[in-house]
Amino acid sequence: MKRSHWFVIGAIFSSILSSGLPVKLASASEITRQLNQQPFGIELPFELQKSDRLLEEGIRQTQLGNLNAAITSLKSAAEKYRLLNNLEGQQRAYGYLSQVYQRQNRTTELEDALRQQLRFARSRQDFPQLILSYNQVGELLLRTAHVAESEKGFAESLRLAQDINDIPGQGRSLTNLGLAAIARGDYALAITRLNQAINRHQLTSNVTAEAIAKNALGSIYYKLGEFQKSAASYLNALILARTGDDYATQDRAMAGLAIAYKSLGANNEAKSWLDARLNAATTASSPTNRVNALQAIGEFYERDGDLAEADRYYSSAIVAATQAGEPQMTQSLSRKLENLRRSYHLAPRQKR
């Protein structure tokens, strides 16, 4: 028995003796049970069940699309887990909160939730989650143009992934390091990092991760003016993304194929990929991507000098953006269409 336990026993006996009450000797098992009862910071079953129910309710509300209600439940769960000093519960609650904030495009709250996950994963020495969290925080920082800070996170996630031989973690970290290098304009390093990432991804079953890296290579080759290599990379990405049934990555690949073939002077192929992108967006019921696809076709015709067709697709894009509840896209497209119609006085319409 620990020395501190004897002090507790002594205190119990002294209290009983000084009270004048008759002493009833407790069994060794009873004393052990009493000593194991901690008055503070314990996970009382009832309180833990309440926390778990709040977490489950938050998950259910998220699935139903009631995101504000989900946030309320998940925050309450996180607070109750905190009072219980349950780090794993807090980590899970913030994980689901980050998903909700991602869907609401609430960047500030998303970053806070991701950093909380990172903190708890570090405290628990949960290395797989730590690798994931470093990447997630870095990806958010990269999207908000904090390139140098994002690279530090990606480098740390790569180091940890190498330490525990986490191949998927290495692949994701290397892909992200490649994307950060693109953002800095260091295309040679980006190509190296992305090829290293592809090698890791090919050791796993995650074809979507490989497709993302291939798309990134396609964008680099396009920036370097190597349009044939760009088209080849985008085509590989599209095949992989279709295998993995990942629509967003397919959309990115088709958009890249269109601009690569356009730059090669293969207008028919470019137009066919633009049409394929629009059809895919319609089939996938993705309103925002449908707007982007219609705009891309409008831009194609505008560059080609076919102002009447450009007008038609921009007009369709405006309608789609309005229906999708995207006011900023609607305004931007309206300005494009207005500028296009002004140019009618400078160039003849080719067809109507």
Side-chain angles (χ1 to χ4, degrees):
M1 187 178 294
K2 293 184 179 179
R3 187 176 179 183
S4 61
H5 287 186
W6 289 112
F7 283 125
V8 174
I9 293 171
I12 294 171
F13 272 77
S14 296
S15 175
I16 294 172
L17 290 171
S18 63
S19 69
L21 295 173
V23 178
K24 182 180 179 180
L25 293 178
S27 67
S29 61
E30 177 66 15
I31 293 171
T32 301
R33 184 188 68 77
Q34 293 178 8
L35 291 173
N36 285 334
Q37 290 179 347
Q38 302 175 37
F40 303 109
I42 67 169
E43 293 187 356
L44 296 172
F46 179 69
E47 292 300 320
L48 182 58
Q49 287 173 9
K50 286 170 62 178
S51 305
D52 290 342
R53 281 198 297 271
L54 280 167
L55 180 66
E56 291 167 4
E57 178 63 16
I59 296 170
R60 189 179 72 84
Q61 293 290 356
T62 302
Q63 293 169 343
L64 293 172
N66 302 326
L67 301 186
N68 289 331
I71 289 171
T72 300
S73 296
L74 292 170
K75 279 186 171 180
S76 297
E79 176 60 16
K80 286 192 175 294
Y81 283 129
R82 185 188 70 80
L83 293 174
L84 292 170
N85 196 29
N86 186 319
L87 300 183
E88 182 181 4
Q90 292 178 79
Q91 182 178 310
R92 291 182 64 207
Y94 278 106
Y96 286 109
L97 271 170
S98 67
Q99 294 176 25
V100 177
Y101 291 139
Q102 177 81 52
R103 288 174 62 175
Q104 291 187 324
N105 294 317
R106 293 168 63 173
T107 304
T108 302
E109 292 90 343
L110 173 59
E111 182 176 352
D112 178 68
L114 291 174
R115 288 188 183 277
Q116 291 286 8
Q117 277 186 276
L118 183 62
R119 179 167 69 90
F120 293 123
R122 187 185 294 118
S123 297
R124 298 179 60 240
Q125 294 191 334
D126 181 350
F127 294 113
Q129 180 60 50
L130 198 54
I131 293 164
L132 175 61
S133 293
Y134 269 122
N135 274 303
Q136 289 176 323
V137 172
E139 286 159 6
L140 179 61
L141 291 170
L142 188 58
R143 288 198 299 273
T144 54
H146 295 85
V147 181
E149 191 177 350
S150 74
E151 280 187 301
K152 292 177 184 177
F154 298 146
E156 181 61 16
S157 66
L158 178 60
R159 183 189 68 79
L160 289 170
Q162 289 171 335
D163 284 347
I164 66 171
N165 197 31
D166 179 354
I167 301 301
Q170 291 177 39
R172 183 167 181 168
S173 303
L174 285 163
T175 295
N176 283 328
L177 282 167
L179 294 172
I182 293 174
R184 287 193 292 101
D186 190 343
Y187 299 142
L189 177 61
I191 290 171
T192 298
R193 290 299 195 192
L194 290 168
N195 280 321
Q196 290 172 337
I198 289 166
N199 289 337
R200 302 302 194 285
H201 293 316
Q202 288 176 344
L203 297 175
T204 74
S205 59
N206 191 346
V207 292
T208 298
E210 184 181 350
I212 291 170
K214 291 278 190 181
N215 269 338
L217 274 179
S219 70
I220 294 173
Y221 289 130
Y222 183 82
K223 291 174 189 294
L224 293 174
E226 299 185 43
F227 304 129
Q228 194 66 55
K229 281 187 176 182
S230 176
S233 293
Y234 281 129
L235 185 57
N236 285 335
L238 179 60
I239 293 168
L240 289 164
R242 283 176 173 171
T243 302
D245 198 24
D246 184 274
Y247 167 68
T249 308
Q250 291 178 49
D251 180 73
R252 176 72 188 89
M254 286 185 285
L257 279 164
I259 61 170
Y261 279 116
K262 176 67 176 175
S263 298
L264 286 168
N267 284 0
N268 290 337
E269 287 85 350
K271 180 59 171 54
S272 69
W273 284 115
L274 288 170
D275 290 338
R277 185 187 181 197
L278 177 59
N279 290 335
T282 303
T283 302
S285 299
S286 177
T288 301
N289 280 15
R290 177 174 167 78
V291 176
N292 289 331
L294 287 165
Q295 178 179 340
I297 297 175
E299 290 169 347
F300 173 86
Y301 281 118
E302 184 177 2
R303 284 193 299 267
D304 213 35
D306 191 338
L307 303 183
E309 281 296 283
D311 186 310
R312 186 165 72 87
Y313 277 99
Y314 283 145
S315 297
S316 296
I318 291 169
V319 173
T322 303
Q323 292 173 343
E326 296 283 357
Q328 291 184 339
M329 296 180 80
T330 302
Q331 291 173 11
S332 174
L333 285 162
S334 296
R335 286 193 295 270
K336 269 183 172 289
L337 183 58
E338 183 181 350
N339 292 334
L340 178 73
R341 286 176 174 173
R342 284 179 184 152
S343 70
Y344 273 57
H345 301 290
L346 305 176
R349 301 186 187 191
Q350 292 188 12
K351 60 183 177 181
R352 190 66 180 170

